[in-house]
Amino acid sequence: MTEQTPDSADERLREEQNNAAGASRWEAPAAGSLRPATDLAAASEQLLSGGARQLDSAALRDALLDLHDFWLTTKATEIGVTATSGFAIVATGGLGRGELLPYSDLDLTLLHDNMPHDIVGRVAELLWYPLWDANIRIDHSVRTVPEALKVAGEDISAGLAMLEARHIAGDSDLSSLLIGGARRQWRTGIASRFDELVEHTEARWQRSGQIAHRAEPDLKCGRGGLRDVQLLNALAIAQLADVYPSRSLASPTGTLGEAHLALLNVRTELHRVSGRGRELLLAQHADEIGAALHIGDRFDLARTLSDAARTVSYYVDAGLRTAANALPRRGLAAFKRPVRRPLDEGVIEFAGEVILARDARPERDPGLILRVAAASANTGLPMAASTLSRLTENAPELRTPWPRQALKDLLVMLAAGPAAVATIEALDRTGLWGRLFPEWGAVRDLPPRDVVHIWTVDRHLVETVSRASAFTTRVSRPDLLLLGALCHDIGKGRGGDHSVIGAELATQIGTRLGMWPSDIELLSNVVRHHLLLPHTATRRDLQDPKVIAAVVDALDGDPVLLELLHVLAEADSLATGPGVWGDWKASLIGDLVRRCRLVMAGEPLPKPDPIDPRYLSLASDVGVHVEMTPGDSPHIYNVTMIAPDVRGLLSKAAGVLALNSLRVHSASVNGHEGSAINSFVVSPHFGSPPAAELLRQQLILALEGELDVLASLDKRDRDAAQHGTTRAGEVPNAVPINHATAPPRILWSDGAEPGELVVQIRTTDRAGLLARLTAVFERDGVDIAWAKVTTLGSSVVDVFGITAVGDGNSAGAVGDGNSAGAVGDGNSAGAVGDGDSAGASSSSSRSIRDELGHDLYAVLPAPAPAKPVSEAS
């Protein structure tokens, strides 16, 4: 047995006393500490009433924060919560963030350093009961630091709240342990909790909806609300994103910080006006809040909220993408570097985003903005925030008129369907869209005056474009349909008849875009008369011939304008709101259109383009000639291919262009004295075009059978489909560059010559499409007498004049150099008669239509199966 000295015994006793429950560190307060906090409630009420000198929103929040901080620190001293007591008071929520609103709950945590249960209970009563007795709402908890961190690790909401914790009173070291520990725990655990965070956020959005497009928005939890700003702060604490990004990435009216402040001010006034801790902005309070903030009436308030919420939404989307890409890869993906996949000249895909290539020079390339946007919309990949920032800072203004390629890229983007909505939204939130369309400022975030509309005016325009993209094959001018959809309500927000004002603005826009004068006039008329059909069909007597005559006169008897207005009316209705478009309205407008067409003269038949005399002499040589000349704008070239009249020439010529990554924008196909003259307007997908001599050599190899262009195109498509750039285990987020959004459509009519049929193909473009179409004609035994190929953005309108191949003496045999089929015996079902036998001609025409239609549809790009969505989506 060890003998203890008196000194060691005293030391052990002192140690045991110090290690015992820390009662000696807390001193019981004097009597009266449980009196209700009526002084705090009265002071708060006085601040809210304000008297003759009412505080503004920011000053009110600051005053409430100072008041509650003062009361809590005073009460802490009174009840013995001091720096050496083993207790600390920590605030979360609005009090913790320093954004205390008039009727927000007080989110308080009483921390203790393993104090005895009886003492902890006593201190909690001294702190909570005065607040309860004064009817002050509190969200309270009592925990040790390990207990609090455990809750934060198990509950994502508690973990996010703990990141905003702030020391109020007591042992600051204890508070620092919690605050620092919560942030370290968040940073080290974010990789495993990121998916949970995203799911938690999306569930909140699903419950609360979008602030920008709700009549009574949830300012706190709605998409684009204050919770989303807090989410960005959480990502910044995890070192995965910035809190407030560069000011260059600002909305047209302000930065993210200003959007946050606008939401906070509106929520502050909502509390003050309603006298309750409301989060839903009810219509009955809107005018009073707008006046208090010197914004205006409820429509002005709605516009301010829309801008703020959409700005926050943009930054949250960008922040989540940035965070996802910053997370360390796991499994085999950790050993695989993301691939940089070219999308267009100066544009690539990297890590699931569209970014600029290393050699891109935005300061010298005005069209780069639209190429980036077109690539984003067509792939469904978002534009990287850094890319948008660089374009905002460095890209110059597009000159007027726009280069032809810029207009083509705009049309490609507009035809992309729903993906174009997110692309335009990102451009608009960063100021780039307003740079392209200055007229957009008057409709940006403009709330609708009619309750049937569910979108702001600018979003309605974009939604109409998205709807119209599915109808592009129903019109002969899909480019004007998309531009008309984009501009049809552009005249709103300026006073007066928005159709008349919009028509003038459409003329201004069309001139800036570099459109032909006739197309500008047609676009202006589309905007001017976009309400004519629905208003007439639903408000006038369609049995009255005068009503029909008035509509025809208003449209100057133009069937193309009538066609465009018919389709735009449907897209406009579908983009307005649920129930706006239905069978009744569709039948009325359809009846009106049919009656108008009966009055009109009818659509003119397509005619072949005239042959340039310069090429007639080259055709006389009966050799293979390929010529390439610069087009009317940069990156556009004219390619003319002249070769002897052999079957399948057109499909081989188009295939050679596709193999060399030359996109065909238009084509004219003709023949002369045994030679075929094929002219193409093309642009290289990347870089510079190949030499004309290379195209000539490949065409010769294809004609001699040594190069199978269709097989080569199929192999390239298969290789591209196998190319993956996603992380292991992830679903690929890229889609085909030119995915179809509208179903293909084939229209038939009789040609101008006996035995000739005209087939018009409306579809979405794809690599090698012209080669594949002409190969179908080749297999099905028909000749192409002439052709006009037009690519409008990503929409294609190809017209072919075809005849059947006879025995050489048939009137229908053209013997074209673009002959597509094997020679028949003259009695085959596919042979077109010479016009002497009407019955035989009709029967053979139907046979050709049925057979060709089936085979052509088989090679046309079809839209991907879509999940059912509501009309308001």
Side-chain angles (χ1 to χ4, degrees):
M1 183 175 179
T2 305
E3 183 178 355
Q4 295 184 350
T5 64
D7 291 341
S8 63
D10 292 340
E11 183 178 351
R12 181 178 178 184
L13 179 60
R14 286 194 299 269
E15 183 178 351
E16 288 176 352
Q17 290 175 343
N18 289 334
N19 290 335
S24 61
R25 290 186 286 167
W26 178 76
E27 296 180 3
S33 298
L34 284 174
R35 65 181 180 276
T38 52
D39 54 342
L40 175 61
S44 298
E45 188 61 34
Q46 185 176 359
L47 288 174
L48 287 171
S49 62
R53 185 181 177 186
Q54 189 170 12
L55 297 175
D56 63 23
S57 302
L60 176 60
R61 290 194 301 274
D62 291 340
L64 287 172
L65 182 67
D66 292 342
L67 172 64
H68 285 78
D69 278 355
F70 176 76
W71 189 92
L72 286 169
T73 53
T74 302
K75 174 60 68 173
T77 302
E78 180 183 322
I79 64 176
V81 177
T82 62
T84 59
S85 64
F87 286 96
I89 301 174
V90 173
T92 56
L95 185 60
R97 290 189 302 273
E99 299 173 351
L100 189 60
L101 273 65
Y103 294 98
S104 291
D105 293 352
L106 296 182
D107 297 304
L108 297 170
T109 297
L110 178 62
L111 285 180
H112 65 92
D113 187 14
N114 292 311
M115 302 295 285
H117 293 298
D118 57 337
I119 293 180
V120 171
R122 177 63 177 156
V123 173
E125 290 176 357
L126 291 170
L127 181 59
W128 307 144
Y129 271 98
L131 296 170
W132 286 334
D133 292 341
N135 294 320
I136 296 174
R137 297 172 55 182
I138 60 173
D139 186 355
H140 60 92
S141 61
V142 180
R143 295 187 177 103
T144 64
V145 171
E147 289 171 346
L149 293 178
K150 184 174 184 292
V151 172
E154 295 173 347
D155 185 340
I156 194 79
S157 297
L160 290 170
M162 212 76 73
L163 298 177
E164 303 166 341
R166 181 170 65 92
H167 174 72
I168 298 294
D171 189 344
S172 60
D173 291 338
L174 203 57
S175 298
S176 298
L177 283 175
L178 174 63
I179 296 170
R183 296 191 171 203
R184 283 192 301 273
Q185 181 174 277
W186 178 254
R187 280 194 294 269
T188 57
I190 189 63
S192 60
R193 305 189 70 183
F194 186 74
D195 291 342
E196 180 188 2
L197 176 66
V198 173
E199 292 175 4
H200 175 80
T201 301
E202 291 177 345
R204 171 168 55 79
W205 290 342
Q206 187 67 29
R207 290 191 306 269
S208 304
Q210 299 186 55
I211 291 177
H213 305 293
R214 286 185 75 99
E216 296 183 337
D218 185 333
L219 302 176
K220 181 178 179 181
C221 296
R223 182 173 174 83
L226 294 169
R227 279 278 187 258
D228 285 342
V229 178
Q230 294 158 27
L231 173 63
L232 283 172
N233 289 336
L235 294 176
I237 291 171
Q239 299 177 345
L240 297 178
D242 294 331
V243 183
Y244 291 151
S246 166
R247 190 177 180 86
S248 64
L249 275 182
S251 80
T253 56
T255 63
L256 174 62
E258 290 164 343
H260 176 202
L261 182 60
L263 290 168
L264 202 56
N265 287 342
V266 173
R267 189 179 173 211
T268 302
E269 292 304 321
L270 175 60
H271 280 213
R272 176 152 52 183
V273 167
S274 65
R276 299 175 59 185
R278 290 188 179 273
E279 313 303 340
L280 285 179
L281 175 56
L282 301 181
Q284 67 197 58
H285 301 306
D287 283 326
E288 191 173 352
I289 292 173
L293 293 173
H294 307 290
I295 292 174
D297 62 12
R298 63 185 185 276
F299 294 102
D300 299 315
L301 177 63
R303 192 169 193 176
T304 298
L305 280 177
S306 175
D307 175 72
R310 290 164 76 174
T311 299
V312 171
S313 292
Y314 166 76
Y315 283 114
V316 167
D317 290 342
L320 288 174
R321 289 197 310 271
T322 301
N325 287 329
L327 291 173
R329 296 178 175 85
R330 290 176 287 182
L332 294 177
F335 301 96
K336 183 180 179 181
R337 297 182 60 186
V339 178
R340 302 171 72 89
R341 180 166 68 95
L343 298 176
D344 206 333
E345 183 71 26
V347 186
I348 65 173
E349 172 203 346
F350 181 75
E353 293 183 316
V354 175
I355 67 172
L356 299 182
R358 292 189 179 97
D359 58 352
R361 296 293 181 267
E363 63 277 2
R364 304 177 185 174
D365 190 352
L368 186 57
I369 295 174
L370 284 168
R371 290 207 304 281
V372 169
S376 172
N378 264 327
T379 60
L381 297 172
M383 296 171 285
S386 58
T387 294
L388 290 170
S389 176
R390 189 176 171 193
L391 290 172
T392 301
E393 293 174 351
N394 299 316
E397 300 283 345
L398 277 167
R399 60 176 173 81
T400 299
W402 284 11
R404 189 63 53 86
Q405 187 60 42
L407 175 57
K408 293 181 186 296
D409 288 331
L410 173 66
L411 293 173
V412 168
M413 180 190 66
L414 297 180
V421 176
T423 299
I424 294 176
E425 183 75 7
L427 292 175
D428 193 35
R429 290 304 109 185
T430 52
L432 292 170
W433 188 250
R435 185 185 300 182
L436 299 172
F437 294 96
E439 301 83 0
W440 205 258
V443 298
R444 179 180 294 110
D445 296 303
L446 184 65
R449 299 279 173 163
D450 192 339
V451 294
V452 74
H453 282 267
I454 63 173
W455 305 109
T456 55
V457 174
D458 59 331
R459 179 63 180 271
H460 167 71
L461 292 176
V462 180
E463 289 288 335
T464 305
V465 171
S466 174
R467 295 287 186 171
S469 67
F471 305 147
T472 51
T473 52
R474 289 167 48 181
V475 297
S476 58
R477 292 300 305 272
D479 54 335
L480 293 180
L481 172 63
L482 295 172
L483 291 173
L486 185 68
C487 299
H488 74 279
D489 280 345
I490 197 70
K492 289 187 174 180
R494 293 173 167 85
D497 188 336
H498 79 278
S499 296
V500 175
I501 297 173
E504 298 174 355
L505 294 174
T507 300
Q508 177 178 304
I509 291 171
T511 303
R512 185 168 66 252
L513 298 186
M515 300 169 63
W516 294 109
S518 58
D519 288 346
I520 295 174
E521 182 180 3
L522 187 52
L523 175 62
S524 178
N525 286 332
V526 168
V527 176
R528 173 67 182 87
H529 300 295
H530 75 275
L531 295 176
L532 178 63
L533 297 186
H535 281 186
T536 302
T538 57
R539 303 176 184 180
R540 303 292 298 275
D541 181 9
L542 300 186
Q543 304 295 329
D544 186 351
K546 294 181 180 178
V547 172
I548 307 302
V551 173
V552 174
D553 290 343
L555 304 182
D556 291 327
D558 187 345
V560 176
L561 177 58
L562 178 66
E563 176 188 61
L564 289 170
L565 292 176
H566 185 193
V567 176
L568 178 58
E570 182 175 351
D572 187 13
S573 297
L574 291 172
T576 297
V580 178
W581 183 259
D583 292 340
W584 174 77
K585 190 173 183 179
S587 64
L588 286 178
I589 294 179
D591 187 24
L592 172 61
V593 171
R594 283 190 295 272
R595 292 172 184 271
C596 290
R597 282 176 176 160
L598 289 174
V599 177
M600 292 179 175
E603 298 179 358
L605 289 171
K607 298 293 183 181
D609 290 338
I611 302 175
D612 190 330
R614 190 164 57 88
Y615 297 132
L616 296 179
S617 59
L618 292 176
S620 306
D621 296 341
V622 196
V624 177
H625 302 275
V626 176
E627 179 181 291
M628 180 182 296
T629 59
D632 55 1
S633 61
H635 306 295
I636 298 295
Y637 299 86
N638 300 313
V639 177
T640 302
M641 294 181 167
I642 303 174
D645 182 1
V646 294
R647 207 162 289 115
L649 171 62
L650 180 56
S651 66
K652 294 178 174 61
V656 167
L657 296 176
L659 282 177
N660 287 275
S661 297
L662 293 173
R663 293 180 287 194
V664 178
H665 299 292
S666 64
S668 177
V669 179
N670 294 283
H672 177 70
E673 295 183 357
S675 291
I677 305 174
N678 301 333
S679 300
F680 305 89
V681 177
V682 303
S683 65
H685 201 60
F686 312 106
S688 301
E693 182 59 27
L694 174 62
L695 299 178
R696 177 176 177 272
Q697 293 298 328
Q698 291 182 353
L699 180 59
I700 292 174
L701 292 175
L703 293 174
E704 293 176 350
E706 297 183 24
L707 173 63
D708 189 338
V709 291
L710 291 180
S712 300
L713 286 172
D714 290 339
K715 181 179 183 301
R716 189 175 68 179
D717 288 348
R718 289 193 301 270
D719 293 342
Q722 296 173 357
H723 180 77
T725 61
T726 58
R727 300 179 181 181
E730 290 183 347
V731 177
N733 49 14
V735 296
I737 296 297
N738 285 318
H739 62 287
T741 58
R745 194 177 185 196
I746 299 176
L747 304 177
W748 299 88
S749 59
D750 293 327
E753 301 295 332
E756 183 179 272
L757 282 176
V758 176
V759 54
Q760 184 179 113
I761 301 172
R762 303 173 181 174
T763 186
T764 302
D765 197 14
R766 62 173 289 192
L769 176 63
L770 182 58
R772 290 179 169 89
L773 290 176
T774 51
V776 170
F777 293 125
E778 175 183 353
R779 292 194 302 268
D780 286 6
V782 295
D783 283 346
I784 302 174
W786 56 269
K788 292 180 70 174
V789 178
T790 306
T791 303
L792 303 168
S794 58
S795 299
V796 170
V797 180
D798 292 349
V799 182
F800 299 92
I802 62 172
T803 61
V805 179
D807 59 4
N809 299 316
S810 165
V814 182
D816 80 313
N818 305 300
S819 174
V823 177
D825 59 6
N827 299 317
S828 67
V832 177
D834 59 5
D836 295 333
S837 175
S841 175
S842 176
S843 175
S844 62
S845 294
R846 285 195 300 270
S847 177
I848 290 175
R849 293 183 186 189
D850 292 343
E851 183 178 354
L852 267 179
H854 177 272
D855 294 342
L856 287 171
Y857 275 120
V859 300
L860 294 177
K867 297 179 180 179
V869 295
S870 65
E871 290 182 346
S873 64

